[in-house]
Short mmCIF file of all heavy atoms in Angstrom, two decimals:
data_model
loop_
_atom_site.label_atom_id
_atom_site.label_comp_id
_atom_site.label_asym_id
_atom_site.label_seq_id
_atom_site.Cartn_x
_atom_site.Cartn_y
_atom_site.Cartn_z
N PHE N 321 -8.68 29.29 0.68
CA PHE N 321 -7.73 29.86 -0.15
C PHE N 321 -6.42 29.01 -0.16
O PHE N 321 -6.27 28.21 0.73
CB PHE N 321 -7.37 31.34 0.33
CG PHE N 321 -6.70 31.36 1.69
CD1 PHE N 321 -5.32 31.15 1.94
CD2 PHE N 321 -7.50 31.58 2.87
CE1 PHE N 321 -4.84 31.13 3.14
CE2 PHE N 321 -6.90 31.54 4.12
CZ PHE N 321 -5.53 31.37 4.20
N ALA N 322 -5.58 29.22 -1.20
CA ALA N 322 -4.31 28.56 -1.19
C ALA N 322 -3.31 29.57 -1.72
O ALA N 322 -3.47 30.23 -2.76
CB ALA N 322 -4.41 27.32 -2.20
N VAL N 323 -2.19 29.63 -1.03
CA VAL N 323 -1.08 30.51 -1.37
C VAL N 323 -0.04 29.55 -2.15
O VAL N 323 0.34 28.56 -1.60
CB VAL N 323 -0.34 31.12 -0.17
CG1 VAL N 323 0.91 31.93 -0.53
CG2 VAL N 323 -1.32 32.06 0.56
N LEU N 324 0.28 29.95 -3.35
CA LEU N 324 1.25 29.25 -4.19
C LEU N 324 2.42 30.15 -4.40
O LEU N 324 2.34 30.97 -5.45
CB LEU N 324 0.66 28.77 -5.44
CG LEU N 324 -0.24 27.47 -5.41
CD1 LEU N 324 -1.57 27.76 -4.71
CD2 LEU N 324 -0.43 26.95 -6.74
N ASP N 325 3.40 30.27 -3.60
CA ASP N 325 4.58 31.10 -3.83
C ASP N 325 5.74 30.20 -4.21
O ASP N 325 6.25 29.47 -3.40
CB ASP N 325 4.88 31.88 -2.54
CG ASP N 325 6.14 32.65 -2.70
OD1 ASP N 325 6.90 32.60 -3.71
OD2 ASP N 325 6.47 33.45 -1.78
N PRO N 326 6.13 30.23 -5.56
CA PRO N 326 7.20 29.36 -6.00
C PRO N 326 8.50 29.47 -5.18
O PRO N 326 9.29 28.56 -5.12
CB PRO N 326 7.43 29.73 -7.45
CG PRO N 326 6.14 30.53 -7.85
CD PRO N 326 5.63 31.16 -6.57
N GLU N 327 8.69 30.67 -4.55
CA GLU N 327 9.95 30.87 -3.78
C GLU N 327 10.03 29.83 -2.66
O GLU N 327 11.06 29.45 -2.25
CB GLU N 327 9.90 32.27 -3.20
CG GLU N 327 10.13 33.38 -4.19
CD GLU N 327 11.56 33.43 -4.83
OE1 GLU N 327 12.50 32.89 -4.15
OE2 GLU N 327 11.76 33.99 -5.89
N THR N 328 8.85 29.44 -2.12
CA THR N 328 8.91 28.48 -0.99
C THR N 328 9.35 27.12 -1.33
O THR N 328 9.75 26.35 -0.52
CB THR N 328 7.46 28.32 -0.40
OG1 THR N 328 6.63 27.67 -1.34
CG2 THR N 328 6.88 29.58 0.08
N THR N 329 9.50 26.81 -2.74
CA THR N 329 9.87 25.52 -3.16
C THR N 329 11.36 25.42 -3.29
O THR N 329 11.90 24.28 -3.67
CB THR N 329 9.21 25.13 -4.52
OG1 THR N 329 9.80 25.93 -5.57
CG2 THR N 329 7.67 25.46 -4.49
N ARG N 330 12.12 26.48 -3.14
CA ARG N 330 13.62 26.51 -3.43
C ARG N 330 14.31 25.51 -2.53
O ARG N 330 15.32 25.01 -2.99
CB ARG N 330 14.16 27.86 -3.15
CG ARG N 330 14.03 28.92 -4.28
CD ARG N 330 14.74 30.14 -3.77
NE ARG N 330 14.66 31.20 -4.76
CZ ARG N 330 15.49 31.45 -5.76
NH1 ARG N 330 16.46 30.63 -6.01
NH2 ARG N 330 15.38 32.50 -6.51
N THR N 331 13.75 25.23 -1.32
CA THR N 331 14.54 24.35 -0.41
C THR N 331 14.14 22.90 -0.57
O THR N 331 14.60 22.07 0.15
CB THR N 331 14.23 24.75 1.00
OG1 THR N 331 12.82 24.88 1.23
CG2 THR N 331 14.91 26.12 1.33
N LEU N 332 13.25 22.57 -1.53
CA LEU N 332 12.89 21.23 -1.71
C LEU N 332 14.09 20.34 -2.13
O LEU N 332 14.86 20.71 -3.01
CB LEU N 332 11.83 21.05 -2.84
CG LEU N 332 10.34 21.42 -2.44
CD1 LEU N 332 9.55 21.50 -3.71
CD2 LEU N 332 9.87 20.38 -1.48
N PRO N 333 14.25 19.19 -1.53
CA PRO N 333 15.28 18.28 -2.03
C PRO N 333 14.90 17.74 -3.42
O PRO N 333 13.69 17.63 -3.75
CB PRO N 333 15.29 17.10 -0.99
CG PRO N 333 14.36 17.52 0.13
CD PRO N 333 13.56 18.65 -0.34
N PRO N 334 15.88 17.46 -4.27
CA PRO N 334 15.57 16.96 -5.61
C PRO N 334 14.61 15.78 -5.62
O PRO N 334 13.69 15.77 -6.52
CB PRO N 334 17.00 16.50 -6.21
CG PRO N 334 17.99 17.26 -5.39
CD PRO N 334 17.37 17.50 -4.04
N ARG N 335 14.65 14.93 -4.69
CA ARG N 335 13.71 13.86 -4.59
C ARG N 335 12.26 14.29 -4.54
O ARG N 335 11.38 13.69 -5.18
CB ARG N 335 14.06 12.90 -3.46
CG ARG N 335 13.22 11.61 -3.33
CD ARG N 335 13.51 10.85 -2.06
NE ARG N 335 12.74 9.71 -1.86
CZ ARG N 335 13.11 8.42 -1.89
NH1 ARG N 335 14.34 8.20 -2.25
NH2 ARG N 335 12.30 7.42 -1.64
N GLN N 336 12.00 15.31 -3.80
CA GLN N 336 10.66 15.82 -3.61
C GLN N 336 10.24 16.64 -4.84
O GLN N 336 9.00 16.58 -5.17
CB GLN N 336 10.54 16.66 -2.39
CG GLN N 336 10.78 15.93 -1.04
CD GLN N 336 9.82 14.73 -0.82
OE1 GLN N 336 8.75 14.54 -1.51
NE2 GLN N 336 10.23 13.76 -0.05
N VAL N 337 11.08 17.31 -5.50
CA VAL N 337 10.80 17.98 -6.72
C VAL N 337 10.40 16.87 -7.83
O VAL N 337 9.33 17.02 -8.43
CB VAL N 337 12.02 18.81 -7.34
CG1 VAL N 337 11.66 19.34 -8.72
CG2 VAL N 337 12.33 19.95 -6.40
N ALA N 338 11.16 15.82 -7.93
CA ALA N 338 10.85 14.80 -8.84
C ALA N 338 9.55 14.10 -8.49
O ALA N 338 8.69 13.81 -9.38
CB ALA N 338 11.97 13.78 -8.85
N ASN N 339 9.31 13.83 -7.23
CA ASN N 339 8.07 13.29 -6.83
C ASN N 339 6.86 14.10 -7.23
O ASN N 339 5.84 13.59 -7.67
CB ASN N 339 7.99 13.14 -5.27
CG ASN N 339 8.74 11.94 -4.76
OD1 ASN N 339 9.18 10.98 -5.47
ND2 ASN N 339 8.85 11.80 -3.42
#
Side-chain angles (χ1 to χ4, degrees):
F321 63 84
V323 175
L324 282 72
D325 176 352
E327 292 287 341
T328 66
T329 73
R330 278 184 184 272
T331 50
L332 280 170
R335 181 183 178 113
Q336 296 303 341
V337 173
N339 278 351

